[in-house]
């Protein structure tokens, strides 16, 4: 086993373990903290995939922004400490569990059977100065996503502000 | 001189070759990485201890006092005494607290502050990790601290802690935006996110080219690391001690340490981005020594702030961030983008400004910054006047008084 | 890859070092807990009521605007890095991008969402 | 060539997706559902980047797609949490079972 594989396994265990802890935690706040653990694991996977830029963006956006937003939203709800009695799950949770585990089993089985039968390229992607490549791509091929993104963000901002304000 | 400049690199190489005699190469480089991390963090921790001493001395001088002078000569052993005291104190965990989160929070507060040092070039070729997206990494790491603070505030189960934690997080995230936008204009000039490239380009330090950016960054950085006048998160008079009210002993020390180390890290970042990093000014000293000197100057600027400014109120603080700094830094970035098209510093990864051209470039950028500052002042004059007028009649009592005055 | 390995080393040491300090302090310090000492501090008085306090929605509003502007970073930083290789076209595009977001900021300002009451 | 087969990434992503799915389907709290959805989006991103790394070599489509997904995820979280807050204000609860105004 190489070092790379070891890191991959550790990061995956961290990620999946945190994800499991997240969906089973009683307190919403603790669940959000586990979610941050999952995001960190995903960031490590991105870095292992030679996508260091995305790994850092994952930390910046998911951990630094979205997780904080969720924590703030939890603070606005009652039962911040997660002490109120009552079930964590809705009545349909056994059904959900069966569905999710069936789906997982099917996909994993298919993937294992497919083995390494992918059109895998021989070389690793050329990632020197990735940010520059990305910037040039934004101004040429991917100009539309670049401009649409600002529109999406504007709509989200205005929509959320309209909904959330106490008038 | 050459030898002295490369002192630490030579020691590192010597150590590396020493280990390589017995151990295989991957193990040696792993040990090297861990050791460099350990050494840099230890230096940061010791510097942090003496920053507390220096702060007390400097603030004492500003307030016409002497400051710590009992333990050791000039009180130089005071921080050690404080450290030992913290270390041997009883560790109390409130019964009501969420034990696990309560214990993890202080550790997680220190980690991101320490991790910032990984990409800072301390001297010529002296950088632990010359990441090609170093600047983005710094921003990402500094935004993780908020979570540790919210965790600490929440786990204590104390109203003041929770409130302090939320306020701290709100303040930090508000000031992250102007900081990021103002760095955008530097990135436009340099065309890279690698911190060593920033140092390479700065034949003339960017503080002269972009003074406005430096001021905005200084303000946002002070807020980001909760130095006064932005120390609302731990405003004693309003929130007892903010998010670390319930913490004592070593855990409290870790929160303090996180704050001081973050301030130190910010000073290092500012030196790298605005003061030319390890480049020597006039006197040819070793590059790392110049870095230390510049950092020392900036740290004293923090202490000078602490001794001089009163604390801002939270509404004023948020208004400053969103209503002034964000639009101003955006305007600044746009202005820089226009300037860069006519007076580029870097083209296709190559520095294009040579010799005497630096003079014209510097003057152009400096004048543009000053003009921007004046334009902003003109734009904001009516707004500021209106706000001041509103503040005068803010309370009902004051409004009644004003009506009385007008009637009479 | 080496650059990221160094970051991993920093992460490892950055967690182990403070954790060791906390454990060391716990080992060295006295351990004489009692109920009064372990009660919530809060100004030295008994805690009144639930810990939970109704937070203003304003905290959420700031976090919201912050998220929107933080994502802008992901788009604008690559643009800024590549800027000296691109032409005036890039400036115009980024101006449109930033302009749309500034419109959002000014909408929030006009609606009073930036004020802290 | 990396020592990690593409399969490993796909399996891990699938598992993460299913855990997120379970969270989204079973949680009572609306915020819990939202967090489950965030996990699912992350799983999708792992797949996108893994395929970019192993299959698409001279292109940026995989990463670009991941960035767009992150953007949309953030926008979605912002609006959804605003909705949760509005629901809490009008109905005094964030539990999805009790939000049944449309169930007649």
């Amino acid at each position: 086993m190489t070092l790379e594989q070891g890191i991959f396994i550790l990061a995956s265990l961290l990620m999946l373990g945190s994800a499991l802890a997240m969906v089973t935690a009683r307190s919403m706040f603790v669940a959000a903290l586990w979610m941050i653990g999952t995001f960190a694991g995903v960031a490590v996977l991105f870095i292992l995939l030679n996508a260091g830029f995305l790994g850092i963006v994952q930390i910046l956006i998911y951990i630094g922004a979205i997780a904080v937003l969720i924590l703030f939203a939890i603070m606005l709800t009652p039962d911040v400490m997660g002490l109120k009695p009552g079930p964590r799950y809705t009545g349909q949770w056994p059904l959900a569990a069966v569905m999710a585990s069936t789906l997982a089993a099917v996909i994993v089985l298919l993937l294992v059977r497919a083995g390494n039968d992918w059109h895998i390229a021989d070389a690793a992607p050329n990632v020197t100065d990735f940010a520059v490549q990305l910037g040039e791509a934004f101004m040429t091929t991917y100009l539309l996503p670049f401009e649409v993104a600002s529109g999406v963000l504007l709509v989200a901002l205005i929509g959320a502000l309209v909904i959330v304000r106490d008038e | 001189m050459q030898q002295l400049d490369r002192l630490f690199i030579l020691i590192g190489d010597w150590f590396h070759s020493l280990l390589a005699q017995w151990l295989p190469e991957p193990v040696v480089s792993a040990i090297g990485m861990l050791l460099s991390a350990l050494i840099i963090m230890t230096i940061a921790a010791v510097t942090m201890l003496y920053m507390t001493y220096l702060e007390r001395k400097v603030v004492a001088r500003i307030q016409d006092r002497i400051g710590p002078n009992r333990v050791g000569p000039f009180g130089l052993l005071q921080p050690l005494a404080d450290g030992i005291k913290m270390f041997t104190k009883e560790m109390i965990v409130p019964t009501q607290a969420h034990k696990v989160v309560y214990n993890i929070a202080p550790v997680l507060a220190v980690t991101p502050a320490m991790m910032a040092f990984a990409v800072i070039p301390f001297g010529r070729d002296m950088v632990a990790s010359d990441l090609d997206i170093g600047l983005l990494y710094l921003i990402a790491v500094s935004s993780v601290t908020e979570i540790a603070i919210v965790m600490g505030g929440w786990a204590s189960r104390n109203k003041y802690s929770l409130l302090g934690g939320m306020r701290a997080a709100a303040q930090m995230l508000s000031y992250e935006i102007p900081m990021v936008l103002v760095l955008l204009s530097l990135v436009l000039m340099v065309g890279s996110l690698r911190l060593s490239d920033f140092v390479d380009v700065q034949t003339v330090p960017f503080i002269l080219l972009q003074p406005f950016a430096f001021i905005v960054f200084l303000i946002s950085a002070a807020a980001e690391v909760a130095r006064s006048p932005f120390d609302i998160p731990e405003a004693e008079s309003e929130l007892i001690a903010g998010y670390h009210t319930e913490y004592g002993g070593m855990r409290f020390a870790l929160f303090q340490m996180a704050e001081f180390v973050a301030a130190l890290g910010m000073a290092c970042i500012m030196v790298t981005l605005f003061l030319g990093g390890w480049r020597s000014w006039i006197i040819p000293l070793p590059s790392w020594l110049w870095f230390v000197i510049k950092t020392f100057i900036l740290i004293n600027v923090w202490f000078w702030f602490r001794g001089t400014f009163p604390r801002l109120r939270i509404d004023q603080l948020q208004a400053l961030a969103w209503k002034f700094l964000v639009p101003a830094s955006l305007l600044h970035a746009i202005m820089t983008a226009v300037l860069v098209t006519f007076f580029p510093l870097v083209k296709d990864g190559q520095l294009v400004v040579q010799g005497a051209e630096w003079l014209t470039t510097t003057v152009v950028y400096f004048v543009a910054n000053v003009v921007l500052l004046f334009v902003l002042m003109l734009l904001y004059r009516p707004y500021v006047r209106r706000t001041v007028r509103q503040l005068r009649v803010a309370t009902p009592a004051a409004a009644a008084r004003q009506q009385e005055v007008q009637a009479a | 890859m080496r650059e990221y390995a160094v970051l991993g080393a920093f992460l490892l040491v950055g967690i182990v070092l403070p954790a060791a300090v906390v454990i060391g302090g716990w080992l060295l310090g006295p351990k004489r807990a009692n109920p009064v000492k372990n009660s919530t501090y809060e100004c030295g008085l008994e805690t009144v009521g639930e810990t939970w306090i109704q937070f203003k929605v304003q905290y959420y509003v700031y976090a919201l605007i912050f998220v929107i502007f933080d994502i802008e970073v992901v788009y604008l930083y690559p643009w800024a890095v590549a800027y000296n290789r691109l032409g005036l076209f890039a400036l115009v595009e980024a101006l449109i991008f930033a302009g749309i977001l500034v419109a959002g900021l000014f909408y929030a300002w006009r609606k009073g969402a930036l004020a802290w009451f | 060539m990396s020592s990690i087969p593409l399969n490993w990434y796909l399996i891990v992503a699938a598992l993460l997706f299913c855990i997120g799915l379970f969270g989204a389907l079973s949680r009572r709290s609306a915020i819990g559902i939202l967090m489950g959805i965030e996990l699912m989006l992350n799983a999708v991103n792992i797949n996108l980047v893994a395929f970019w790394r192993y299959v698409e070599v001279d292109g940026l489509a995989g990463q670009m797609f991941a960035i767009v997904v992150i953007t949309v995820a953030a926008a979605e979280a912002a609006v959804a949490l605003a909705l949760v807050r509005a629901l809490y204000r009008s109905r005094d609860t964030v539990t999805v079972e009790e939000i049944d105004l449309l169930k007649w």
Side-chain angles (χ1 to χ4, degrees):
Chain A
M1 195 172 70
T2 62
L3 184 68
E4 216 179 344
Q5 288 176 338
I7 294 171
F8 173 85
I9 290 170
L10 271 182
S12 307
L13 284 181
L14 162 80
M15 192 178 83
L16 295 177
S18 314
L20 272 178
M22 186 205 102
V23 293
T24 50
R26 179 167 290 279
S27 156
M28 265 354 265
F29 191 93
V30 176
L33 295 183
W34 283 116
M35 184 184 66
I36 293 167
T38 315
F39 291 160
V42 176
V44 176
L45 290 196
F46 282 167
I47 290 169
L48 280 179
L49 281 166
N50 281 25
F53 180 82
L54 267 187
I56 302 292
V57 165
Q58 172 85 9
I59 296 170
L60 179 72
I61 301 294
Y62 268 112
I63 299 181
I66 296 182
V68 173
L69 189 75
I70 290 177
L71 287 181
F72 273 45
I74 292 169
M75 294 292 186
L76 294 176
T77 60
D79 193 25
V80 168
M81 303 303 288
L83 294 174
K84 274 202 187 139
R88 277 163 279 185
Y89 302 127
T90 57
Q92 61 192 9
W93 79 266
L95 194 67
V98 170
M99 258 185 74
S101 43
T102 316
L103 186 63
V106 169
I107 296 178
V108 170
L109 206 71
L110 281 176
L111 284 174
V112 170
R113 274 188 50 189
N116 268 335
D117 194 17
W118 305 92
H119 297 285
I120 291 177
D122 300 325
N126 179 23
V127 282
T128 47
D129 259 337
F130 185 75
V132 178
Q133 287 181 28
L134 201 65
E136 282 174 349
F138 269 138
M139 284 300 125
T140 50
T141 324
Y142 298 100
L143 190 61
L144 187 66
F146 182 80
E147 295 298 344
V148 167
S150 68
V152 169
L153 294 177
L154 176 71
V155 171
L157 177 64
I158 292 179
L161 276 182
V162 168
I163 297 167
V164 83
R165 292 278 294 159
D166 301 320
E167 306 290 5
Chain B
M1 193 61 213
Q2 276 277 312
Q3 299 282 317
L4 206 59
D5 192 24
R6 301 184 60 83
L7 181 65
F8 294 99
I9 302 168
L10 290 175
I11 294 174
D13 286 348
W14 170 77
F15 193 72
H16 192 275
S17 57
L18 193 73
L19 280 182
Q21 288 171 355
W22 297 297
L23 294 167
E25 175 52 33
V27 181
V28 175
S29 61
I31 291 175
M33 286 173 195
L34 287 173
L35 264 185
S36 65
L38 193 66
I39 290 168
I40 290 175
M41 285 183 196
T42 315
I43 292 175
V46 173
T47 314
M48 170 262 160
L49 273 180
Y50 276 88
M51 270 171 80
T52 60
Y53 167 79
L54 195 68
E55 170 162 34
R56 290 164 78 177
K57 274 288 186 194
V58 171
V59 174
R61 284 296 170 191
I62 290 173
Q63 294 166 347
D64 210 2
R65 296 183 285 120
I66 297 174
N69 64 346
R70 288 282 162 239
V71 192
F74 307 107
L76 268 173
L77 296 179
Q78 182 70 42
L80 289 182
D82 286 344
I84 292 167
K85 186 194 87 172
M86 290 282 194
F87 210 61
T88 52
K89 266 199 154 190
E90 181 173 358
M91 291 223 189
I92 300 166
V93 183
T95 338
Q96 302 260 296
H98 189 290
K99 305 267 175 330
V100 181
V101 179
Y102 180 87
N103 277 308
I104 291 175
V107 175
L108 280 193
V110 176
T111 310
M114 288 288 195
M115 280 187 75
F117 291 104
V119 293
I120 293 173
F122 296 101
R124 189 173 285 120
D125 301 328
M126 275 170 62
V127 54
S129 162
D130 202 10
L131 204 61
D132 57 345
I133 42 174
L135 198 62
L136 208 62
Y137 165 81
L138 279 180
I139 298 166
V141 161
S142 72
S143 67
V144 176
T145 321
E146 289 147 29
I147 289 170
I149 286 172
V150 174
M151 274 167 78
W154 177 83
S156 303
R157 280 207 82 195
N158 170 335
K159 294 187 199 72
Y160 296 97
S161 296
L162 197 56
L163 202 56
M166 285 292 276
R167 279 195 181 183
Q171 167 181 333
M172 283 177 165
L173 53 85
S174 293
Y175 277 86
E176 211 173 296
I177 297 302
M179 202 164 102
V180 164
L181 287 177
V182 101
L183 289 184
L184 189 68
S185 47
L186 294 196
V187 177
L188 277 168
M189 288 160 72
V190 179
S192 167
L193 293 172
R194 195 190 296 271
L195 286 175
S196 50
D197 287 349
F198 276 82
V199 181
D200 286 341
V201 171
Q202 289 184 69
T203 314
V204 174
F206 281 166
I207 186 174
L208 292 179
L209 270 77
Q210 303 275 38
F212 185 76
F214 179 72
I215 294 167
V216 172
F217 190 88
L218 190 66
I219 295 172
S220 324
E224 189 73 14
V225 297
R227 300 288 314 171
S228 51
F230 302 102
D231 54 348
I232 290 178
E234 49 206 284
E236 298 90 344
S237 42
E238 299 157 50
L239 292 165
I240 310 183
Y243 56 88
H244 45 58
T245 306
E246 292 291 343
Y247 282 92
M250 214 52 226
R251 295 196 193 86
F252 170 75
L254 281 182
F255 269 123
Q256 287 291 331
M257 183 167 162
E259 232 163 69
F260 273 91
V261 170
L264 180 66
M266 272 299 173
C268 290
I269 293 168
M270 275 191 281
V271 168
T272 308
L273 296 181
F274 287 99
L275 298 187
W278 43 259
R279 274 164 177 274
S280 45
W281 289 346
I282 311 161
I283 316 161
L285 290 175
S287 55
W288 44 270
L289 195 58
W290 261 114
F291 190 90
V292 170
I293 292 169
K294 289 173 186 176
T295 313
F296 180 78
I297 294 171
L298 274 183
I299 285 174
N300 277 298
V301 172
W302 290 140
F303 299 153
W304 170 43
F305 278 10
R306 167 87 195 270
T308 328
F309 290 121
R311 184 183 300 135
L312 264 75
R313 225 168 47 206
I314 188 156
D315 59 326
Q316 297 164 337
L317 178 128
Q318 297 286 10
L320 177 65
W322 289 109
K323 293 181 177 171
F324 180 72
L325 290 181
V326 170
S329 51
L330 248 177
L331 268 183
H332 187 267
I334 291 167
M335 181 198 82
T336 312
V338 175
L339 276 181
V340 165
T341 41
F342 297 110
F343 298 91
L345 296 175
V346 173
K347 205 133 194 100
D348 291 322
Q350 295 294 316
L351 190 62
V352 289
V353 186
Q354 307 292 339
E357 284 166 33
W358 272 109
L359 191 67
T360 47
T361 313
T362 310
V363 169
V364 166
Y365 276 88
F366 187 86
V367 169
N369 269 271
V370 173
V371 168
L372 180 73
L373 185 62
F374 270 100
V375 168
L376 280 169
M377 276 164 73
L378 277 180
L379 277 176
Y380 274 86
R381 220 156 89 147
Y383 175 76
V384 171
R385 287 202 171 159
R386 200 167 60 236
T387 315
V388 169
R389 219 177 301 132
Q390 280 168 357
L391 282 177
R392 281 202 194 117
V393 290
T395 60
R401 219 178 305 127
Q402 190 161 25
Q403 272 186 347
E404 268 173 41
V405 172
Q406 274 166 0
Chain C
M1 233 35 201
R2 197 199 154 268
E3 265 71 41
Y4 291 100
V6 174
L7 298 188
F10 266 77
L11 180 65
L12 199 68
V13 179
I15 289 176
V16 168
L17 211 61
V21 166
V22 167
I23 292 169
W26 179 74
L27 288 175
L28 281 178
K31 286 176 263 303
R32 284 186 294 273
N34 65 50
V36 176
K37 199 191 270 177
N38 282 1
S39 63
T40 305
Y41 182 64
E42 255 181 46
C43 268
L45 296 170
E46 286 287 316
T47 306
V48 181
E50 266 278 318
T51 311
W52 180 67
I53 28 177
Q54 172 79 58
F55 276 109
K56 284 147 122 24
V57 73
Q58 198 57 39
Y59 284 103
Y60 181 74
V61 171
Y62 284 133
L64 174 69
I65 307 175
F66 162 74
V67 169
I68 301 297
F69 273 84
D70 212 27
I71 292 172
E72 189 189 14
V73 171
V74 179
Y75 289 89
L76 284 183
Y77 268 55
W79 164 77
V81 173
Y83 185 70
N84 61 41
R85 291 150 206 265
L86 304 160
L88 260 168
F89 176 69
L91 179 61
V92 176
E93 291 301 331
L95 276 183
I96 297 172
F97 185 90
I100 292 174
L101 276 166
V102 169
L105 184 70
F106 273 87
Y107 173 83
W109 191 339
R110 302 291 314 180
K111 281 274 165 184
L114 298 182
W116 182 280
F117 288 115
Chain D
M1 225 32 252
S2 164
S3 62
I4 306 166
L6 172 59
N7 249 4
W8 291 20
Y9 285 104
L10 300 183
I11 290 173
V12 165
L15 290 176
L16 184 64
F17 185 87
C18 291
I19 295 172
L21 183 69
F22 172 71
L25 290 178
S26 64
R27 275 288 194 176
R28 276 180 91 225
S29 161
I31 297 178
I33 293 174
L34 182 80
M35 295 197 306
I37 294 172
E38 293 293 340
L39 283 202
M40 288 155 76
L41 288 170
N42 262 282
V44 171
N45 266 355
I46 295 176
N47 265 12
L48 285 171
V49 179
F51 279 122
W52 166 79
R53 166 72 178 74
Y54 285 92
V55 181
E56 184 207 12
V57 169
D58 15 68
L60 289 172
Q63 293 221 33
M64 203 57 81
F65 221 119
I67 289 176
V68 173
V69 169
I70 290 175
T71 310
V72 173
E76 170 244 324
V79 177
L81 291 172
L83 277 173
V84 171
R85 157 77 189 175
L87 272 176
Y88 167 60
R89 259 166 37 80
S90 61
R91 310 262 326 182
D92 257 336
T93 179
V94 290
T95 310
V96 280
E97 282 171 330
E98 292 166 32
I99 301 165
D100 49 5
L101 265 182
L102 289 179
K103 250 195 209 168
W104 290 102

